[in-house]
Amino acid sequence: MSQKRRPKRGSRAYGPRKRAQSQTPRLDSWPEITGAPKIQGFAGYKAGMTHAFVVDKRVKSTTSGMELQVPVTVVEVPPMKIAAVRFYENTIYGLKTAGEVWAQDLEPLLSKRLSVPKNHDEASFAKYDGVDIEDVRVIAYTQPKLVKGVPKKVPDIMELRIGGGSVDERVQYAKSILGTEVGINDFAVEGAFIDVVAVTKGKGFQGVTKRFGVKLLSHKNSKHRRGIGNLGPKRPGYVRGTVPGSGQLGYHQRTEFNKQLMKIGTEGAEITPKGGFLNYGDVSGAYVLVHGSVPGPAKRLVRFRDPTRAPKKSTEAADITYISTESKQGA
């Protein structure tokens, strides 16, 4: 007689569940793309959520041609500045930094993040003419002083890959944007799919029931109900990491794949709700509408990247007929 089986209870999705090292997400991989050279990432600040009505363009859908209400996240995306160009060479240990060339006129507040190198100019690129360059990336930083809803002025600095074209074409493109501003349109267009990376909302130290979703113990239990029932076998003589335990919940870096850019706008007032977004305020500059939710609370830095698992769906721009600007206060 076969024994009745059930799935394991509780989530075992991620480990270890500890606090993120930095509120600026770190990207370990970049996809290869075709076409002309361009930056493969961007960053913005999460404002909040609203909803929009979009015409369903799926041919085989039962709601084809009809209006659908979809949730969207508003991310304010002020232009970013390119601080440096970084070259990578291939070694037996993988990619290794070959060198950098920094721009001249940098944001003075950037010195609060790192020691800004000096004595760089256009002639500095000549030092890398004979180097076998494998990859080209740029060091970019945000401009939070242009965002009303984010109460800080010190820029967030990050590395962005240059993709597309040959290596020589990437180098020339990197030279052309060094020390200049780049916008969200230099990264993606409306309808494109992207990966969204951010640090989630922190919830502090929590017990196993909230942290892993384990079932409550019986009401006949002698001491507690919201604990773990069994710490595991007698051997080995320690509690294994697979056993749910109390600890940090939230403030983890998470990546959401294949989120569609529903809209790219320049005037934030057209989508700002009455009274502003909760815990954020008004969106004043350039913004994007991302389909669905995005990790993190309002004001959190959100990074975008070209999709590493690009879907085979159409990248046609969404036909938005209405964006809600009803008050979100108290929502």
Side-chain angles (χ1 to χ4, degrees):
M1 219 173 141
S2 63
Q3 186 178 6
K4 186 176 181 181
R5 299 183 180 274
R6 63 162 179 81
K8 287 187 177 181
R9 293 173 181 167
S11 170
R12 290 166 178 80
Y14 297 98
R17 295 195 178 190
K18 59 181 182 180
R19 286 170 55 88
Q21 292 182 351
S22 172
Q23 205 171 97
T24 302
R26 175 174 177 154
L27 303 184
D28 294 329
S29 62
W30 298 90
E32 293 292 341
I33 61 172
T34 58
K38 76 174 190 72
I39 55 173
Q40 288 193 263
F42 207 77
Y45 296 94
K46 180 177 176 179
M49 291 192 71
T50 183
H51 67 271
F53 284 95
V54 181
V55 177
D56 190 358
K57 296 183 179 180
R58 296 171 296 181
V59 179
K60 296 183 180 180
S61 173
T62 56
T63 56
S64 180
M66 300 171 61
E67 287 185 345
L68 300 178
Q69 178 179 317
V70 296
V72 292
T73 302
V74 181
V75 181
E76 193 164 0
V77 284
M80 300 181 68
K81 279 195 172 182
I82 306 301
V85 178
R86 177 177 286 173
F87 301 112
Y88 283 87
E89 59 182 348
N90 204 359
T91 67
I92 59 175
Y93 302 105
L95 290 180
K96 180 182 177 182
T97 304
E100 300 167 351
V101 177
W102 285 74
Q104 292 294 318
D105 299 324
L106 297 175
E107 172 68 44
L109 289 171
L110 200 62
S111 60
K112 291 184 177 291
R113 292 289 185 195
L114 76 168
S115 298
V116 179
K118 297 180 175 60
N119 301 325
H120 284 270
D121 53 23
E122 187 68 24
S124 301
F125 285 101
K127 296 189 298 184
Y128 307 103
D129 288 344
V131 179
D132 186 14
I133 298 174
E134 181 72 18
D135 205 4
V136 182
R137 303 181 187 182
V138 294
I139 299 175
Y141 60 93
T142 60
Q143 301 185 82
K145 63 183 181 181
L146 302 178
V147 181
K148 293 181 179 179
V150 178
K152 68 176 178 180
K153 297 180 181 179
V154 179
D156 294 299
I157 190 167
M158 63 201 68
E159 185 182 79
L160 306 177
R161 184 176 186 264
I162 303 293
S166 63
V167 174
D168 292 336
E169 291 174 337
R170 297 180 197 175
V171 173
Q172 293 302 319
Y173 176 76
K175 287 182 180 180
S176 66
I177 64 174
L178 178 62
T180 65
E181 288 186 346
V182 292
I184 185 67
N185 291 302
D186 296 313
F187 161 64
V189 297
E190 288 186 357
F193 286 91
I194 59 173
D195 293 343
V196 177
V197 189
V199 176
T200 62
K201 183 186 295 186
K203 300 182 184 299
F205 191 98
Q206 300 293 338
V208 293
T209 302
K210 180 168 183 173
R211 196 170 183 230
F212 288 94
V214 298
K215 187 179 179 181
L216 291 177
L217 299 177
S218 168
H219 71 95
K220 293 185 177 181
N221 197 60
S222 61
K223 294 183 179 179
H224 49 72
R225 295 196 65 194
R226 298 180 64 86
I228 191 69
N230 193 328
L231 291 178
K234 186 176 182 180
R235 297 287 185 274
Y238 55 87
V239 178
R240 291 181 290 182
T242 55
V243 177
S246 302
Q248 174 68 28
L249 177 62
Y251 206 78
H252 310 304
Q253 178 178 318
R254 295 292 179 256
T255 302
E256 295 201 3
F257 298 96
N258 298 332
K259 311 289 284 190
Q260 190 174 20
L261 285 179
M262 307 293 289
K263 179 180 174 60
I264 298 177
T266 57
E267 296 294 333
E270 61 190 13
I271 50 92
T272 300
K274 301 171 184 177
F277 284 99
L278 194 64
N279 298 327
Y280 187 86
D282 297 340
V283 177
S284 56
Y287 68 92
V288 294
L289 295 185
V290 181
H291 187 283
S293 61
V294 166
K299 306 176 187 175
R300 183 60 51 87
L301 177 72
V302 178
R303 291 192 64 179
F304 302 142
R305 176 187 63 186
D306 282 336
T308 55
R309 309 173 184 177
K312 297 180 181 180
K313 302 177 184 177
S314 171
T315 57
E316 186 179 357
D319 187 2
I320 300 177
T321 59
Y322 170 78
I323 300 174
S324 174
T325 55
E326 295 299 317
S327 175
K328 300 296 185 292
Q329 300 298 321

PDB file of all heavy atoms in Angstrom, residues 8 10-11 16 27-28 35 56 69 85 140 159 200 232 235 262-263 272 277 280-281 290 295-296 303 311 314 320:
ATOM      1  N   LYS A   8       6.388  19.543   0.923  1.00  0.00           N
ATOM      2  CA  LYS A   8       6.970  20.136   2.127  1.00  0.00           C
ATOM      3  C   LYS A   8       6.293  21.464   2.418  1.00  0.00           C
ATOM      4  O   LYS A   8       5.999  22.239   1.512  1.00  0.00           O
ATOM      5  CB  LYS A   8       8.470  20.353   1.936  1.00  0.00           C
ATOM      6  CG  LYS A   8       9.271  19.068   1.958  1.00  0.00           C
ATOM      7  CD  LYS A   8      10.762  19.370   1.930  1.00  0.00           C
ATOM      8  CE  LYS A   8      11.562  18.083   2.032  1.00  0.00           C
ATOM      9  NZ  LYS A   8      13.018  18.349   2.030  1.00  0.00           N
ATOM     10  N   GLY A  10       6.031  25.269   3.984  1.00  0.00           N
ATOM     11  CA  GLY A  10       6.928  26.393   4.219  1.00  0.00           C
ATOM     12  C   GLY A  10       7.817  26.672   3.022  1.00  0.00           C
ATOM     13  O   GLY A  10       8.163  25.787   2.247  1.00  0.00           O
ATOM     14  N   SER A  11       8.171  27.923   2.868  1.00  0.00           N
ATOM     15  CA  SER A  11       8.994  28.348   1.740  1.00  0.00           C
ATOM     16  C   SER A  11      10.465  28.074   2.002  1.00  0.00           C
ATOM     17  O   SER A  11      10.982  28.347   3.079  1.00  0.00           O
ATOM     18  CB  SER A  11       8.795  29.843   1.472  1.00  0.00           C
ATOM     19  OG  SER A  11       9.733  30.308   0.546  1.00  0.00           O
ATOM     20  N   PRO A  16      21.187  32.378   2.235  1.00  0.00           N
ATOM     21  CA  PRO A  16      20.697  32.718   3.571  1.00  0.00           C
ATOM     22  C   PRO A  16      19.875  34.000   3.554  1.00  0.00           C
ATOM     23  O   PRO A  16      20.132  34.892   2.751  1.00  0.00           O
ATOM     24  CB  PRO A  16      22.001  32.930   4.359  1.00  0.00           C
ATOM     25  CG  PRO A  16      22.973  33.416   3.342  1.00  0.00           C
ATOM     26  CD  PRO A  16      22.612  32.714   2.063  1.00  0.00           C
ATOM     27  N   LEU A  27      24.959  43.787  -9.606  1.00  0.00           N
ATOM     28  CA  LEU A  27      24.633  42.897 -10.720  1.00  0.00           C
ATOM     29  C   LEU A  27      25.851  42.062 -11.061  1.00  0.00           C
ATOM     30  O   LEU A  27      26.941  42.598 -11.299  1.00  0.00           O
ATOM     31  CB  LEU A  27      24.185  43.713 -11.945  1.00  0.00           C
ATOM     32  CG  LEU A  27      22.990  44.650 -11.723  1.00  0.00           C
ATOM     33  CD1 LEU A  27      22.607  45.320 -13.032  1.00  0.00           C
ATOM     34  CD2 LEU A  27      21.808  43.893 -11.160  1.00  0.00           C
ATOM     35  N   ASP A  28      25.681  40.750 -11.082  1.00  0.00           N
ATOM     36  CA  ASP A  28      26.799  39.843 -11.344  1.00  0.00           C
ATOM     37  C   ASP A  28      26.878  39.399 -12.798  1.00  0.00           C
ATOM     38  O   ASP A  28      27.885  38.803 -13.202  1.00  0.00           O
ATOM     39  CB  ASP A  28      26.681  38.605 -10.454  1.00  0.00           C
ATOM     40  CG  ASP A  28      26.858  38.936  -8.977  1.00  0.00           C
ATOM     41  OD1 ASP A  28      27.601  39.884  -8.684  1.00  0.00           O
ATOM     42  OD2 ASP A  28      26.251  38.261  -8.134  1.00  0.00           O
ATOM     43  N   GLY A  35      23.169  44.724 -32.302  1.00  0.00           N
ATOM     44  CA  GLY A  35      22.822  46.076 -32.696  1.00  0.00           C
ATOM     45  C   GLY A  35      23.915  47.063 -32.336  1.00  0.00           C
ATOM     46  O   GLY A  35      25.048  46.696 -32.004  1.00  0.00           O
ATOM     47  N   ASP A  56      -5.821  45.098 -24.700  1.00  0.00           N
ATOM     48  CA  ASP A  56      -5.214  43.766 -24.821  1.00  0.00           C
ATOM     49  C   ASP A  56      -4.919  43.477 -26.289  1.00  0.00           C
ATOM     50  O   ASP A  56      -5.837  43.386 -27.116  1.00  0.00           O
ATOM     51  CB  ASP A  56      -6.167  42.715 -24.241  1.00  0.00           C
ATOM     52  CG  ASP A  56      -5.499  41.357 -24.118  1.00  0.00           C
ATOM     53  OD1 ASP A  56      -4.322  41.237 -24.514  1.00  0.00           O
ATOM     54  OD2 ASP A  56      -6.153  40.422 -23.618  1.00  0.00           O
ATOM     55  N   GLN A  69      -7.567  46.342 -16.858  1.00  0.00           N
ATOM     56  CA  GLN A  69      -6.975  47.128 -15.782  1.00  0.00           C
ATOM     57  C   GLN A  69      -5.748  46.392 -15.267  1.00  0.00           C
ATOM     58  O   GLN A  69      -5.834  45.228 -14.861  1.00  0.00           O
ATOM     59  CB  GLN A  69      -7.978  47.337 -14.648  1.00  0.00           C
ATOM     60  CG  GLN A  69      -7.401  48.120 -13.476  1.00  0.00           C
ATOM     61  CD  GLN A  69      -8.408  48.333 -12.375  1.00  0.00           C
ATOM     62  OE1 GLN A  69      -9.557  48.654 -12.620  1.00  0.00           O
ATOM     63  NE2 GLN A  69      -7.976  48.137 -11.134  1.00  0.00           N
ATOM     64  N   VAL A  85      35.130  55.427 -17.621  1.00  0.00           N
ATOM     65  CA  VAL A  85      35.088  54.270 -18.516  1.00  0.00           C
ATOM     66  C   VAL A  85      36.051  53.238 -17.957  1.00  0.00           C
ATOM     67  O   VAL A  85      37.197  53.564 -17.626  1.00  0.00           O
ATOM     68  CB  VAL A  85      35.489  54.644 -19.952  1.00  0.00           C
ATOM     69  CG1 VAL A  85      35.482  53.403 -20.842  1.00  0.00           C
ATOM     70  CG2 VAL A  85      34.552  55.704 -20.505  1.00  0.00           C
ATOM     71  N   ALA A 140      28.662  54.966 -13.634  1.00  0.00           N
ATOM     72  CA  ALA A 140      27.653  56.018 -13.704  1.00  0.00           C
ATOM     73  C   ALA A 140      27.114  56.305 -12.311  1.00  0.00           C
ATOM     74  O   ALA A 140      27.206  55.481 -11.405  1.00  0.00           O
ATOM     75  CB  ALA A 140      26.510  55.596 -14.632  1.00  0.00           C
ATOM     76  N   GLU A 159      28.066  50.399 -11.756  1.00  0.00           N
ATOM     77  CA  GLU A 159      28.722  50.052 -13.016  1.00  0.00           C
ATOM     78  C   GLU A 159      27.679  49.577 -14.024  1.00  0.00           C
ATOM     79  O   GLU A 159      26.805  48.776 -13.679  1.00  0.00           O
ATOM     80  CB  GLU A 159      29.768  48.959 -12.779  1.00  0.00           C
ATOM     81  CG  GLU A 159      30.598  48.612 -13.996  1.00  0.00           C
ATOM     82  CD  GLU A 159      31.590  47.493 -13.720  1.00  0.00           C
ATOM     83  OE1 GLU A 159      31.164  46.319 -13.710  1.00  0.00           O
ATOM     84  OE2 GLU A 159      32.774  47.780 -13.502  1.00  0.00           O
ATOM     85  N   THR A 200      14.447  44.695  -1.023  1.00  0.00           N
ATOM     86  CA  THR A 200      13.055  44.653  -0.584  1.00  0.00           C
ATOM     87  C   THR A 200      12.852  45.444   0.704  1.00  0.00           C
ATOM     88  O   THR A 200      13.809  45.881   1.359  1.00  0.00           O
ATOM     89  CB  THR A 200      12.601  43.208  -0.353  1.00  0.00           C
ATOM     90  OG1 THR A 200      13.399  42.630   0.690  1.00  0.00           O
ATOM     91  CG2 THR A 200      12.757  42.379  -1.608  1.00  0.00           C
ATOM     92  N   GLY A 232      15.050  18.658  13.881  1.00  0.00           N
ATOM     93  CA  GLY A 232      15.775  17.740  13.020  1.00  0.00           C
ATOM     94  C   GLY A 232      16.239  16.492  13.753  1.00  0.00           C
ATOM     95  O   GLY A 232      15.930  16.287  14.936  1.00  0.00           O
ATOM     96  N   ARG A 235      21.433  13.039  14.736  1.00  0.00           N
ATOM     97  CA  ARG A 235      22.717  13.131  14.041  1.00  0.00           C
ATOM     98  C   ARG A 235      22.491  13.784  12.691  1.00  0.00           C
ATOM     99  O   ARG A 235      21.556  13.406  11.995  1.00  0.00           O
ATOM    100  CB  ARG A 235      23.345  11.739  13.856  1.00  0.00           C
ATOM    101  CG  ARG A 235      23.686  11.051  15.152  1.00  0.00           C
ATOM    102  CD  ARG A 235      24.909  11.694  15.800  1.00  0.00           C
ATOM    103  NE  ARG A 235      25.313  10.961  16.984  1.00  0.00           N
ATOM    104  CZ  ARG A 235      24.813  11.164  18.200  1.00  0.00           C
ATOM    105  NH1 ARG A 235      23.880  12.065  18.372  1.00  0.00           N
ATOM    106  NH2 ARG A 235      25.244  10.466  19.223  1.00  0.00           N
ATOM    107  N   MET A 262       5.825  49.889 -19.642  1.00  0.00           N
ATOM    108  CA  MET A 262       4.552  50.254 -20.247  1.00  0.00           C
ATOM    109  C   MET A 262       4.584  51.649 -20.860  1.00  0.00           C
ATOM    110  O   MET A 262       3.964  51.896 -21.893  1.00  0.00           O
ATOM    111  CB  MET A 262       3.438  50.183 -19.193  1.00  0.00           C
ATOM    112  CG  MET A 262       3.357  48.872 -18.447  1.00  0.00           C
ATOM    113  SD  MET A 262       2.858  47.501 -19.502  1.00  0.00           S
ATOM    114  CE  MET A 262       1.149  47.906 -19.788  1.00  0.00           C
ATOM    115  N   LYS A 263       5.313  52.567 -20.217  1.00  0.00           N
ATOM    116  CA  LYS A 263       5.339  53.950 -20.693  1.00  0.00           C
ATOM    117  C   LYS A 263       6.597  54.641 -20.199  1.00  0.00           C
ATOM    118  O   LYS A 263       7.055  54.386 -19.083  1.00  0.00           O
ATOM    119  CB  LYS A 263       4.090  54.713 -20.207  1.00  0.00           C
ATOM    120  CG  LYS A 263       4.027  56.188 -20.629  1.00  0.00           C
ATOM    121  CD  LYS A 263       2.768  56.845 -20.108  1.00  0.00           C
ATOM    122  CE  LYS A 263       2.726  58.336 -20.381  1.00  0.00           C
ATOM    123  NZ  LYS A 263       2.781  58.660 -21.817  1.00  0.00           N
ATOM    124  N   THR A 272       1.087  61.976 -11.443  1.00  0.00           N
ATOM    125  CA  THR A 272       1.109  62.144  -9.991  1.00  0.00           C
ATOM    126  C   THR A 272      -0.317  62.209  -9.451  1.00  0.00           C
ATOM    127  O   THR A 272      -1.120  63.006  -9.921  1.00  0.00           O
ATOM    128  CB  THR A 272       1.853  63.428  -9.605  1.00  0.00           C
ATOM    129  OG1 THR A 272       3.196  63.347 -10.079  1.00  0.00           O
ATOM    130  CG2 THR A 272       1.868  63.611  -8.099  1.00  0.00           C
ATOM    131  N   PHE A 277       2.225  60.789  -4.173  1.00  0.00           N
ATOM    132  CA  PHE A 277       2.344  59.384  -3.793  1.00  0.00           C
ATOM    133  C   PHE A 277       2.632  59.275  -2.300  1.00  0.00           C
ATOM    134  O   PHE A 277       3.360  60.090  -1.727  1.00  0.00           O
ATOM    135  CB  PHE A 277       3.460  58.693  -4.582  1.00  0.00           C
ATOM    136  CG  PHE A 277       3.092  58.369  -5.998  1.00  0.00           C
ATOM    137  CD1 PHE A 277       3.494  59.197  -7.031  1.00  0.00           C
ATOM    138  CD2 PHE A 277       2.339  57.250  -6.295  1.00  0.00           C
ATOM    139  CE1 PHE A 277       3.160  58.908  -8.338  1.00  0.00           C
ATOM    140  CE2 PHE A 277       1.996  56.947  -7.602  1.00  0.00           C
ATOM    141  CZ  PHE A 277       2.406  57.775  -8.631  1.00  0.00           C
ATOM    142  N   TYR A 280       6.157  59.583  -0.601  1.00  0.00           N
ATOM    143  CA  TYR A 280       7.069  60.025  -1.661  1.00  0.00           C
ATOM    144  C   TYR A 280       6.799  61.466  -2.081  1.00  0.00           C
ATOM    145  O   TYR A 280       7.702  62.292  -2.142  1.00  0.00           O
ATOM    146  CB  TYR A 280       6.959  59.098  -2.875  1.00  0.00           C
ATOM    147  CG  TYR A 280       7.993  59.388  -3.944  1.00  0.00           C
ATOM    148  CD1 TYR A 280       9.253  58.812  -3.880  1.00  0.00           C
ATOM    149  CD2 TYR A 280       7.705  60.236  -5.013  1.00  0.00           C
ATOM    150  CE1 TYR A 280      10.213  59.085  -4.844  1.00  0.00           C
ATOM    151  CE2 TYR A 280       8.657  60.508  -5.982  1.00  0.00           C
ATOM    152  CZ  TYR A 280       9.909  59.923  -5.897  1.00  0.00           C
ATOM    153  OH  TYR A 280      10.850  60.197  -6.850  1.00  0.00           O
ATOM    154  N   GLY A 281       5.561  61.768  -2.407  1.00  0.00           N
ATOM    155  CA  GLY A 281       5.227  63.110  -2.871  1.00  0.00           C
ATOM    156  C   GLY A 281       5.011  63.146  -4.365  1.00  0.00           C
ATOM    157  O   GLY A 281       4.530  62.179  -4.963  1.00  0.00           O
ATOM    158  N   VAL A 290       6.262  50.661 -14.950  1.00  0.00           N
ATOM    159  CA  VAL A 290       6.658  49.254 -15.043  1.00  0.00           C
ATOM    160  C   VAL A 290       5.455  48.389 -14.736  1.00  0.00           C
ATOM    161  O   VAL A 290       4.749  48.623 -13.741  1.00  0.00           O
ATOM    162  CB  VAL A 290       7.813  48.941 -14.071  1.00  0.00           C
ATOM    163  CG1 VAL A 290       8.238  47.487 -14.198  1.00  0.00           C
ATOM    164  CG2 VAL A 290       8.994  49.867 -14.330  1.00  0.00           C
ATOM    165  N   PRO A 295      10.279  45.443  -6.243  1.00  0.00           N
ATOM    166  CA  PRO A 295      10.704  45.277  -4.846  1.00  0.00           C
ATOM    167  C   PRO A 295      11.030  46.614  -4.182  1.00  0.00           C
ATOM    168  O   PRO A 295      11.482  47.557  -4.824  1.00  0.00           O
ATOM    169  CB  PRO A 295      11.965  44.403  -4.962  1.00  0.00           C
ATOM    170  CG  PRO A 295      11.872  43.757  -6.298  1.00  0.00           C
ATOM    171  CD  PRO A 295      11.132  44.706  -7.177  1.00  0.00           C
ATOM    172  N   GLY A 296      10.809  46.658  -2.862  1.00  0.00           N
ATOM    173  CA  GLY A 296      11.224  47.805  -2.082  1.00  0.00           C
ATOM    174  C   GLY A 296      10.121  48.793  -1.788  1.00  0.00           C
ATOM    175  O   GLY A 296       9.082  48.812  -2.450  1.00  0.00           O
ATOM    176  N   ARG A 303      17.271  49.368  -9.841  1.00  0.00           N
ATOM    177  CA  ARG A 303      18.148  49.232 -11.006  1.00  0.00           C
ATOM    178  C   ARG A 303      17.460  48.436 -12.105  1.00  0.00           C
ATOM    179  O   ARG A 303      16.745  47.457 -11.831  1.00  0.00           O
ATOM    180  CB  ARG A 303      19.474  48.554 -10.635  1.00  0.00           C
ATOM    181  CG  ARG A 303      20.369  49.395  -9.757  1.00  0.00           C
ATOM    182  CD  ARG A 303      21.761  48.821  -9.661  1.00  0.00           C
ATOM    183  NE  ARG A 303      22.455  48.820 -10.945  1.00  0.00           N
ATOM    184  CZ  ARG A 303      23.702  48.385 -11.120  1.00  0.00           C
ATOM    185  NH1 ARG A 303      24.385  47.918 -10.075  1.00  0.00           N
ATOM    186  NH2 ARG A 303      24.263  48.410 -12.303  1.00  0.00           N
ATOM    187  N   PRO A 311      12.085  37.086 -23.098  1.00  0.00           N
ATOM    188  CA  PRO A 311      10.937  36.306 -23.567  1.00  0.00           C
ATOM    189  C   PRO A 311      10.780  36.425 -25.076  1.00  0.00           C
ATOM    190  O   PRO A 311      11.352  37.314 -25.714  1.00  0.00           O
ATOM    191  CB  PRO A 311       9.762  36.943 -22.827  1.00  0.00           C
ATOM    192  CG  PRO A 311      10.167  38.366 -22.650  1.00  0.00           C
ATOM    193  CD  PRO A 311      11.663  38.349 -22.449  1.00  0.00           C
ATOM    194  N   SER A 314       6.039  39.839 -27.908  1.00  0.00           N
ATOM    195  CA  SER A 314       6.178  41.062 -28.687  1.00  0.00           C
ATOM    196  C   SER A 314       6.615  42.199 -27.772  1.00  0.00           C
ATOM    197  O   SER A 314       6.185  42.316 -26.629  1.00  0.00           O
ATOM    198  CB  SER A 314       4.844  41.421 -29.357  1.00  0.00           C
ATOM    199  OG  SER A 314       4.911  42.704 -29.936  1.00  0.00           O
ATOM    200  N   ILE A 320      -2.061  52.472 -23.858  1.00  0.00           N
ATOM    201  CA  ILE A 320      -2.649  52.891 -22.587  1.00  0.00           C
ATOM    202  C   ILE A 320      -3.739  53.927 -22.853  1.00  0.00           C
ATOM    203  O   ILE A 320      -3.495  54.944 -23.509  1.00  0.00           O
ATOM    204  CB  ILE A 320      -1.573  53.467 -21.652  1.00  0.00           C
ATOM    205  CG1 ILE A 320      -0.492  52.416 -21.369  1.00  0.00           C
ATOM    206  CG2 ILE A 320      -2.196  53.947 -20.352  1.00  0.00           C
ATOM    207  CD1 ILE A 320       0.641  52.923 -20.519  1.00  0.00           C
TER     208      ILE A 320
END
